[in-house]
Amino acid sequence: MTATITDTAYPTPPTSFPSPSPPTEGSPWHNGSRAFLTASVPDLISRLTKYEKIKLLAGADWWHTVPIHRLDIPGVKMTDGPNGARGASFAEMTAGLAIPCETALGATFAPEMVHRAASLLAKETKDRGAVALLAPTINIQRSPLGGRAFESFSEDPLLSGLMAASYVEGLQQNGVSAVLKHFVCNDQEHERSAVSAEVSERALREVYLRPFMIAVQEADPLAIMTSYNRVNGTHVAESKHLLEDVLRREWAYNGMVMSDWFGTYSVDLGILAGQDLEMPGPAKWRTEYLVDHCLMSRKITERQIDTRVEKVLHWAQRLARLSPDVVYGDDVEITSHDARDRAFLRELAGSSIVLLKNKGNVLPITNKRARVAVIGPGATSNCVSGGGSAALNASYVVTVLDGLKVGAPSDLELAYCLGTPAHKLLPHLYGIVNEDGDAGCDLRLFADRDDMAHPARAVRRLRLCDSSGLISDDIPENLKDRPWFAVMTGTWTAPVTGAYEFSLSVCGRARLYIDGLLVVDNWDISQRPGDGFFGQGTVEEMGVSHVNKGQECQIRCEYSNVAGSKIGQEVKDESQPIHNFGLRVGGFPVVDQEQELQDAVGTAQGCDAVVLVVGLGPDFESEAFDRPDLSLPMRTDELIERVAAVNERTVVVVQSGSAVNMPWANKVAGIVQAWYGGNEAGNAIADVLYGRRNPSGRLPITLPKREQDVPAYTDFKSEKGIVHYSEGLNVGYKWYQARKIEPLFPFGS
């Protein structure tokens, strides 16, 4: 099969990134004997000193629990999910597989497929040297505006619970602990550590707790993570009613309960309520001094500490028995390549795709000697997931354009054009390489600003997988709690000739130089707060430079972890719990948007059909911020309407984790909801468009005609630390049925 495609002046993202270099020494966490496997937990507790017990109540670092070598108790390593296993570093992410987002999994309505997906994630987790995956997320999609809606299965508690149970079983039957999250009512990002979800007892039970109850009773997750927020005035991490009365007594849950990262807010209240483990470490609350002070004042007793320690040790022992080679391994992270995994990911992504409209049987595209226009910013995007904790370094990415090219019927001609930019942040500098010639940048950390000109004086070198780095969990001990500096370098080959816009967003301050010339200054200016770096970064500051196609440009970004003059006083959301450091460099050609739209219309006019690929991405759907509205970015809606006006066989492919507005729904011939499809998204979409796979997915959420129809429309986001769940039981499709509101596309369609 062959296909032709017109040349494009815009950069195509890479298909893979390298894994970071493995450590040169073995991990300090797993170097004990295996006596722990057969040890009696009560006996171990009796032999632990008071201070050893206190240490076991919190993590050792970002991803490990504390080992007690004296008693051969190993540390346990965790890693983030839910659509892949990232590994132990945000900055140096190990390349891995990305399964479709959880909304896509929900759209399969196939628990057996989710079980297979989780089994694959168990293997990926072990490849990262970990035995616990922070997943699945089963919060209800109360509103499509929720920043992490893409991480959840559905608006329906029964579907969410059944999918979660299969996910948990797939992990745990393969030796990896599920960490069910976020218990409970973590349905928005606005003031997420402070907000109180004011919800009736009946709605709490029947809607928000129900998926957790189903997963606990059907699959017995080894661990559960408490949410950041409060419920009816009390932080879940300190709620004896939710953790002890409901979870442990009513549901007979016997596993471990851990905090979300920095989601512990006290010493005694959390311990008394039943939160076993504070993460991450080292401890912020459960320090030797603070816990000992609570013991001395009789706020807690050592027996109550023993209860919490017992849960942690039983959890660690079960994992050591299930996966001893990993728990007692060397903690080296690897990337596996298996053609069978790729084939399954393609099948899984294809099974999640929902065909919402197919007027005049515009699909499948099977005509030979036809000319098809592929238009839209999503066609060449390497977006595999939303952002935040779900972010991954995908080992490879099949874009929609790649999939359509490779899988095209014989003699089908494809013509591509951008149509319109649709990014919130300028894309990473695709094509940048570090000094070793690998994809990505070098980032060197320095103790003194004068050392920045001398790479040999670096305290640490990090190998970033692209032109950005969140480095909060990679800071050497001798740089913590003090000012430090960094330099990010790389060689970038310009993909076009002409004006190129560069951007710099930081959590700290920085300057960007291109071939030695200052292009963007985000150091001395009054910095403006933005959404990046979990809500703690600046907005992008911009600069323009002229480049020539094929020109090798030297990128240098100088950074300080000390924020600029105003950012510390003007943080958008002071309830974000994690203190971050990082920098992000973006770039994109300066384009004439009107000319791009005209080019798209001209291309569409001369074609037999149009595939318009649009959607969102990690800059729009992410942890730490919510979406402001349901609109597609920039001039996307205008692009669709103008193209549809000149070609009646226009098919729109939407890549998003939740609902988007579709004011053009009646003007196009086809609509395909493709979600975030993971590594194989492009091939899976091509399989559907070319008729090789039946689009059997069904909507796990309701798509509204307008944002005002969403049940939580009048009560979303926090006001003075409170959000009222005023819709009660009428969440999702129940609202539309009760109010007789016609959705654009109903749940299950």
Side-chain angles (χ1 to χ4, degrees), residues 343-488:
F344 169 66
L345 288 176
R346 184 171 183 166
E347 177 188 1
L348 181 63
S351 298
S352 75
I353 292 174
V354 183
L355 180 60
L356 296 174
K357 185 177 181 180
N358 191 23
K359 181 181 178 181
N361 292 323
V362 63
L363 294 176
I365 299 170
T366 56
N367 3 6
K368 297 181 179 179
R369 297 184 179 83
R371 180 176 171 84
V372 176
V374 182
I375 300 172
T380 58
S381 170
N382 70 335
C383 173
V384 298
S385 171
S389 295
L392 290 166
N393 171 19
S395 55
Y396 72 100
V397 178
V398 180
T399 69
V400 178
L401 188 57
D402 290 337
L404 290 173
K405 287 165 58 180
V406 173
S410 178
D411 299 324
L412 182 72
E413 181 182 356
L414 300 177
Y416 167 75
C417 64
L418 175 68
T420 182
H423 44 257
K424 181 179 179 181
L425 301 176
L426 295 187
H428 293 124
L429 287 178
Y430 296 121
I432 196 167
V433 297
N434 64 21
E435 62 188 46
D436 298 325
D438 296 325
C441 294
D442 290 298
L443 182 72
R444 289 181 167 85
L445 278 58
F446 300 91
D448 190 275
R449 188 173 181 181
D450 293 336
D451 293 335
M452 294 167 71
H454 307 281
R457 298 180 186 174
V459 175
R460 184 171 182 184
R461 176 193 175 193
L462 299 172
R463 295 165 177 84
L464 309 181
C465 60
D466 52 35
S467 60
S468 70
L470 175 65
I471 45 183
S472 303
D473 55 352
D474 288 281
I475 303 170
E477 285 295 326
N478 61 337
L479 297 185
K480 289 183 178 179
D481 302 318
R482 56 159 291 178
W484 50 269
F485 304 88
V487 175
M488 185 172 75

Side-chain angles (χ1 to χ4, degrees), residues 141-206:
Q141 285 206 30
R142 179 173 175 254
S143 169
L145 296 179
R148 302 180 81 168
F150 72 94
E151 287 191 44
S152 295
F153 292 110
S154 175
E155 66 189 26
D156 180 67
L158 177 60
L159 177 60
S160 297
L162 293 175
M163 291 300 189
S166 291
Y167 193 117
V168 170
E169 288 177 341
L171 288 176
Q172 296 185 173
Q173 289 172 5
N174 290 279
V176 169
S177 169
V179 182
L180 202 63
K181 64 182 188 180
H182 308 86
F183 187 78
V184 61
C185 292
N186 189 171
D187 310 311
Q188 66 179 48
E189 295 303 288
H190 184 230
E191 294 192 334
R192 61 177 175 163
S193 294
V195 64
S196 177
E198 299 294 311
V199 56
S200 71
E201 183 70 12
R202 185 180 176 191
L204 178 63
R205 295 276 187 163
E206 295 187 20

Side-chain angles (χ1 to χ4, degrees), residues 662-680:
M662 299 182 183
W664 33 262
N666 293 328
K667 301 175 183 178
V668 299
I671 303 174
V672 174
Q673 179 65 50
W675 317 109
Y676 299 129
N679 304 79
E680 288 286 335

